[in-house]
Amino acid sequence: MVAVGSTTAEIAAAVPIVGPEDIARHVCEFWQAYGLFDRPKVEWYPRTNLAALPLIERIFKVTHDGNIDAVVFAGAAGGDLHKLRDAVGVNLVPIIDVGRSAGDFADVRFDPFNRDTWAETARCIVDFRSRRQRIELALREQHGPELELIAHIFVSGRPLTAKRLVTTPEAVCYPGFPSAPVTVPMAEAMARRGFLHRTFFDRMHECSNCSSRRLSVREECPKCRSADLREVSLVHHYRCAALEPEDSFRQGGALVCPKCSHHLRNYGKDYDKPGQVQLCQTCS
């Protein structure tokens, strides 16, 4: 397939492109090497961008029946790109950015005047289609937004990765997925069921009135500046005056003083817990 694709690219490169019809013809010929023998069926968003439609319709087959291979994003850069999946309302198909404005929020960028993007777009459409076909039967038998999130992770081949976005109240987004208020509850539900594994991203302060996280307060380790902190109890050993985090005393189910090696058995007689301290999970 690689050799065929390379040959097709060389042929396409050798033919001068004159107008939209020529562009569309060469793109479609190029895509046949990747198994796209028919124009991919797409919806386009936003539908108010009429200027982009004529060329899109020559390369893609625009339809509104819901049976599509992709969504073509022809919009401009803006502050609501983190809600792109919400606005499109479709998962399990790639979002193709034809305006160079969606960045990570799209799955692939397509420029009809740049042949380097032709192969990337074809591979993206084919990969989504192939993985989607592998789970179609399971999706017909089971439904639910949480399951669709897991399915989209598989079909897109993208991990559910958080990214800072200070223009939103929640100050975080998940490129390639619905907005954080939509994604987080579903991800938390699937994590509780064991289908997803949580990893630390950041530690933020939230306003108790409006739930906004756009605050300048940040607790971090003074040594490595990581915000991955854990609150633990301090243990004070009366015998030798050792004062250390409880983890330093803990040996299985017992407490053993790291300073004098004595076992601590009786709270209030051998030791007490005078307070708590933050431990860095990154460098401690």
Side-chain angles (χ1 to χ4, degrees):
M1 180 179 291
V2 173
V4 176
S6 300
T7 303
T8 307
E10 292 171 3
I11 294 173
V15 179
I17 297 178
V18 179
E21 292 290 349
D22 299 298
I23 295 173
R25 185 177 68 256
H26 289 306
V27 170
C28 293
E29 290 174 354
F30 183 89
W31 280 353
Q32 289 181 11
Y34 294 87
L36 295 177
F37 298 103
D38 298 315
R39 288 183 300 157
K41 294 193 293 184
V42 303
E43 289 186 4
W44 62 289
Y45 178 87
R47 296 186 178 94
T48 55
N49 190 346
L50 299 177
L53 185 58
L55 185 55
I56 290 174
E57 285 186 320
R58 287 184 172 91
I59 298 173
F60 302 96
K61 183 177 181 181
V62 179
T63 180
H64 304 294
D65 62 6
N67 183 23
I68 58 175
D69 295 300
V71 173
V72 172
F73 176 66
D80 290 332
L81 286 175
H82 66 290
K83 297 180 180 179
L84 184 55
R85 280 278 173 193
D86 301 6
V88 168
V90 178
N91 290 319
L92 307 184
V93 297
I95 293 178
I96 301 173
D97 179 20
V98 298
R100 298 187 180 186
S101 57
D104 291 340
F105 296 101
D107 296 286
V108 69
R109 185 179 70 84
F110 175 72
D111 183 350
F113 303 100
N114 183 348
R115 291 187 180 88
D116 292 338
T117 67
W118 297 2
E120 297 172 8
T121 302
R123 280 193 293 266
C124 183
I125 294 173
V126 170
D127 288 346
F128 262 78
R129 180 188 291 173
S130 175
R131 288 190 286 258
R132 190 168 60 249
Q133 289 172 346
R134 290 169 60 183
I135 62 172
E136 277 183 343
L137 179 59
L139 289 178
R140 282 199 297 266
E141 295 177 348
Q142 301 183 53
H143 304 280
E146 292 90 356
L147 180 61
E148 189 167 308
L149 175 65
I150 296 292
H152 187 71
I153 293 173
F154 171 74
V155 171
S156 67
R158 300 179 68 168
L160 184 60
T161 303
K163 179 180 179 181
R164 275 187 168 277
L165 189 66
V166 297
T167 57
T168 65
E170 54 273 5
V172 68
C173 66
Y174 295 86
F177 295 86
S179 60
V182 177
T183 295
V184 171
M186 293 189 294
E188 289 287 355
M190 298 310 283
R192 287 192 295 269
R193 295 172 60 185
F195 292 105
L196 291 178
H197 174 69
R198 294 183 183 89
T199 57
F200 177 80
F201 170 65
D202 205 349
R203 187 185 183 95
M204 301 178 185
H205 291 268
E206 186 175 285
C207 176
S208 58
N209 291 326
C210 67
S211 299
S212 174
R213 297 173 186 167
R214 289 182 288 193
L215 305 174
S216 60
V217 179
R218 176 181 168 88
E219 294 179 357
E220 61 182 26
C221 172
K223 182 179 179 180
C224 70
R225 302 203 67 180
S226 170
D228 191 3
L229 307 177
R230 181 169 61 93
E231 193 173 78
V232 298
S233 296
L234 283 172
V235 173
H236 175 220
H237 185 200
Y238 294 147
R239 179 186 179 94
C240 67
L243 182 64
E244 299 286 345
E246 185 174 344
D247 289 359
S248 300
F249 286 82
R250 183 67 61 184
Q251 292 187 15
L255 292 176
V256 180
C257 180
K259 183 176 179 181
C260 67
S261 300
H262 275 74
H263 283 256
L264 282 61
R265 294 183 174 87
N266 299 310
Y267 180 82
K269 181 178 180 180
D270 296 329
Y271 70 98
D272 67 355
K273 295 183 178 181
Q276 294 182 315
V277 67
Q278 299 274 10
L279 281 186
C280 179
Q281 299 289 92
T282 301
C283 68
S284 62

